[in-house]
Amino acid sequence: MLALIQRVTHAHVDVGDERVGSIGPGLLALVGVEPGDSEPQVRRMAERLLGYRVFGDAAVRMNRSLADTGGGLLLVSQFTLAADTRSGMRAGFSTAAAPEVAEPVFERLLAECRARHAPGVETGRFGAHMVISLANDGPVTFLLRA
């Protein structure tokens, strides 16, 4: 499981004319599910998303986590994140979990994050064409693996 996280001042995701998820200050996490991902990866990724220190403390050092700040978390499934891009000029997707496998794993991650982070976890819509808007704060962007 992979997550590309970005510290944001705000972010939202639209499907067609409908806004399906929106947060203020916090993290946008684009999540790629890989074959074999299961409960251990879900628990580890939830722990990392909520505990990874990307927010500034009083000395402006990245020593505070989303759990510390109470910010929002916008989780968006993105199968292209798990693509194989090592060769050629076109991505291969054999390294990404099939939708029927990935969706329940992503939904489990969403449930785990919601259970652990009461301030607010929003999401996009699995498998839909989504338009994501964000203001990257920093910019601060990290690729996490579970």
Side-chain angles (χ1 to χ4, degrees):
M1 183 176 291
L2 306 145
L4 182 72
I5 62 168
Q6 297 180 45
R7 186 177 72 190
V8 299
T9 59
H10 63 275
H12 61 264
V13 59
D14 297 334
V15 175
D17 293 333
E18 180 186 1
R19 177 134 315 147
V20 296
S22 181
I23 61 167
L27 290 178
L28 166 64
L30 305 174
V31 178
V33 178
E34 298 172 300
D37 285 344
S38 62
E39 194 62 28
Q41 289 78 25
V42 166
R43 282 193 308 272
R44 178 70 175 137
M45 185 56 76
E47 179 181 290
R48 298 199 82 205
L49 290 170
L50 301 175
Y52 209 73
R53 296 181 303 169
V54 299
F55 298 95
D57 61 13
V60 195
R61 297 190 64 183
M62 285 192 272
N63 278 326
R64 298 178 71 217
S65 68
L66 193 63
D68 296 330
T69 65
L73 175 61
L74 179 57
L75 284 178
V76 177
S77 176
Q78 186 175 356
F79 81 97
T80 61
L81 190 58
D84 182 358
T85 60
R86 292 175 289 182
S87 65
M89 300 304 288
R90 184 169 183 264
F93 295 104
S94 62
T95 51
E100 62 274 9
V101 173
E103 187 172 15
V105 173
F106 179 81
E107 291 297 325
R108 183 68 194 101
L109 176 63
L110 179 61
E112 185 76 16
C113 288
R114 283 181 169 157
R116 293 183 184 201
H117 192 64
V121 179
E122 297 282 319
T123 190
R125 186 170 295 148
F126 190 93
H129 178 88
M130 295 175 273
V131 176
I132 301 166
S133 299
L134 67 132
N136 191 317
D137 181 18
V140 173
T141 303
F142 293 99
L143 179 61
L144 303 180
R145 287 191 174 271

